[in-house]
Amino acid sequence: MARPGAYPEVVLLAGGVGGARMAAGLEKALPAGALTVVANVGDDDRFHGLQVCPDLDTILYTLAGVVDRGQGWGVERDGTRVLDQLGTLGAPTWMKLGDRDMALHIYRTWRLSLGWRLTQVMGEVSRRMGVESILLPASDDRVPTQVLTDSGMYPFQEWFVAHRTVPQVRALRYLNADRASITAEVIEAIAHAGLVVIAPSNPFLSIEPMLALRGMRDALRARRAPCVAVSPLIGGKAVKGPLDRMMAAMGLAAGNAGIAQRYGDLIDGIVIDQQDADDRAALRDGGLAVFATRTLIGERERAAILARQIIAWAHGLTVRAAGERCASHGATS
Ligand code: FO1
């Protein structure tokens, strides 16, 4: 629930570079400790015997201020001496793991081998790296995303990095998701939130692997706070990545209608780019509150401005009952 004062406790569901940038904006806009980021773990995989968690780590490095801003992931000015030597030894090196990044994977794998939960590991490294927000894996269990394409089934990182998302996606499998649960920490954060935000991440690759986890949809449906999604589309297109192609291939309506359709009645409102302002009427007819603004958040300051706008706009929103379609949320802009 909202704290005494102007700011709500915010829970952000996030994955990928867009999710990390939204997290940084919200962190800047909120008092210390008011943001909890729940991160996708469907991208996680083992490399060289080490547990690698790209979405969690991209968010961690972004919030710690050490991310490589050019590529959006990994540690700035990192070296590749370990990877180069692994290559010499005959190991595959298509996943570019930097030297300092590798230290995190070694630490995480070591702690997990001692019986720590992933939640505990990420809590500890966040603290040690000076991150003020709470960073939670959506689950402590392994729930690898597999990508079914025209040329076969791939583990997520193999499709995304080694094959540069070229094989056309036909379906996604979130392995083990129906048996894996969200954590008690995630349940509690959502229950106490004053606002839930879905980041402008790829819905199929970053958000739905979390929604598929046991307990996630129930936790969201039981929330007392409004839930708003930030559309990843600008001018009807994804800023980067395979989202446009995936929406078409998976039979989704183009543009923001498709994004709204995908989140269904989990969301009370949607934030869209001002270039797509013409989508407002149709989205409102579908029962959503709509806010149109500049959503490109490549720069930190823009992310913070967007975050402040979302918090102010969402303040007046009410939570729709599941399945309800009412157009009473007088939308701004
Ligand atoms: N993305 C790439 O496009 N190429 C890489 O070699 C690569 C390495 C990598 C290593 C660690 C890490 O945390 C992320 C890395 N990423 C790389 C990004 C990652 O594949 C994506 O961020 C996602 O999993 C999609 O959200």
Side-chain angles (χ1 to χ4, degrees):
M1 289 300 284
R3 331 171 122 199
Y7 294 100
E9 304 269 348
V10 176
V11 168
L12 177 73
L13 303 187
V17 175
R21 289 184 174 155
M22 190 72 252
L26 283 164
E27 186 175 86
K28 221 166 168 199
L30 289 164
L35 175 67
T36 298
V37 185
V38 176
N40 173 40
V41 289
D43 294 12
D44 300 6
D45 209 338
R46 305 247 341 157
F47 294 92
H48 322 294
L50 302 174
Q51 185 67 16
V52 177
C53 304
D55 282 353
L56 277 164
D57 297 351
T58 298
I59 296 165
L60 173 77
Y61 294 147
T62 303
L63 294 182
V66 299
V67 76
D68 180 324
R69 291 188 60 77
Q71 60 193 13
W73 47 268
V75 180
E76 61 186 351
R77 295 187 297 277
D78 209 351
T80 57
R81 296 184 67 181
V82 175
L83 195 72
D84 294 345
Q85 187 63 15
L86 281 163
T88 304
L89 299 175
T93 57
W94 51 263
M95 187 72 175
K96 302 295 175 214
L97 301 169
D99 294 335
R100 289 168 70 196
D101 188 31
M102 203 77 85
L104 173 57
H105 311 316
I106 293 169
Y107 178 83
R108 175 166 40 222
T109 309
W110 169 48
R111 287 301 186 191
L112 291 173
S113 77
L114 296 177
W116 284 34
R117 298 160 57 215
L118 184 57
T119 301
Q120 292 174 293
V121 180
M122 295 316 295
E124 180 68 12
V125 297
S126 297
R127 194 177 63 76
R128 298 233 173 226
M129 292 180 73
V131 172
E132 287 179 341
S133 301
I134 298 160
L135 176 55
L136 298 176
S139 177
D140 286 323
D141 301 321
R142 300 250 178 104
V143 282
T145 297
Q146 291 229 313
V147 188
L148 179 63
T149 74
D150 286 347
S151 45
M153 184 79 96
Y154 297 98
F156 177 81
Q157 293 297 339
E158 207 175 308
W159 171 74
F160 193 87
V161 175
H163 295 280
R164 300 188 311 281
T165 75
V166 171
Q168 184 56 60
V169 181
R170 291 294 156 209
L172 292 157
R173 304 257 182 276
Y174 310 125
L175 297 188
N176 195 38
D178 53 338
R179 271 160 298 171
S181 302
I182 57 171
T183 65
E185 289 84 350
V186 171
I187 295 173
E188 171 133 359
I190 293 172
H192 289 102
L195 174 64
V196 178
V197 179
I198 298 181
S201 308
N202 184 314
F204 301 105
L205 303 180
S206 298
I207 305 298
E208 290 188 11
M210 292 192 273
L211 298 180
L213 292 165
R214 252 181 50 198
M216 183 60 100
R217 282 183 182 271
D218 288 344
L220 287 170
R221 290 214 167 92
R223 75 187 187 279
R224 285 173 291 177
C227 175
V228 300
V230 184
S231 172
L233 304 179
I234 297 184
K237 299 242 168 295
V239 180
K240 215 178 148 208
L243 178 58
D244 302 322
R245 274 186 293 133
M246 292 180 74
M247 286 176 76
M250 295 174 77
L252 215 59
N256 284 313
I259 302 295
Q261 180 191 334
R262 207 66 203 179
Y263 291 134
D265 60 13
L266 280 183
I267 56 171
D268 306 296
I270 186 163
V271 181
I272 62 172
D273 192 78
Q274 60 192 16
Q275 289 182 41
D276 302 312
D278 287 351
D279 295 348
R280 281 177 299 186
L283 293 165
R284 284 177 186 154
D285 285 349
L288 288 174
V290 187
F291 178 54
T293 185
R294 278 178 62 190
T295 61
L296 190 65
I297 51 172
E299 290 154 28
R300 243 167 209 270
E301 199 39 53
R302 271 306 323 163
I305 292 169
L306 177 64
R308 284 187 203 104
Q309 289 177 326
I310 294 171
I311 292 165
W313 166 71
H315 188 66
L317 295 184
T318 47
V319 183
R320 297 191 296 171
E324 188 189 339
R325 290 278 180 267
C326 70
S328 62
H329 310 290
T332 334
S333 178

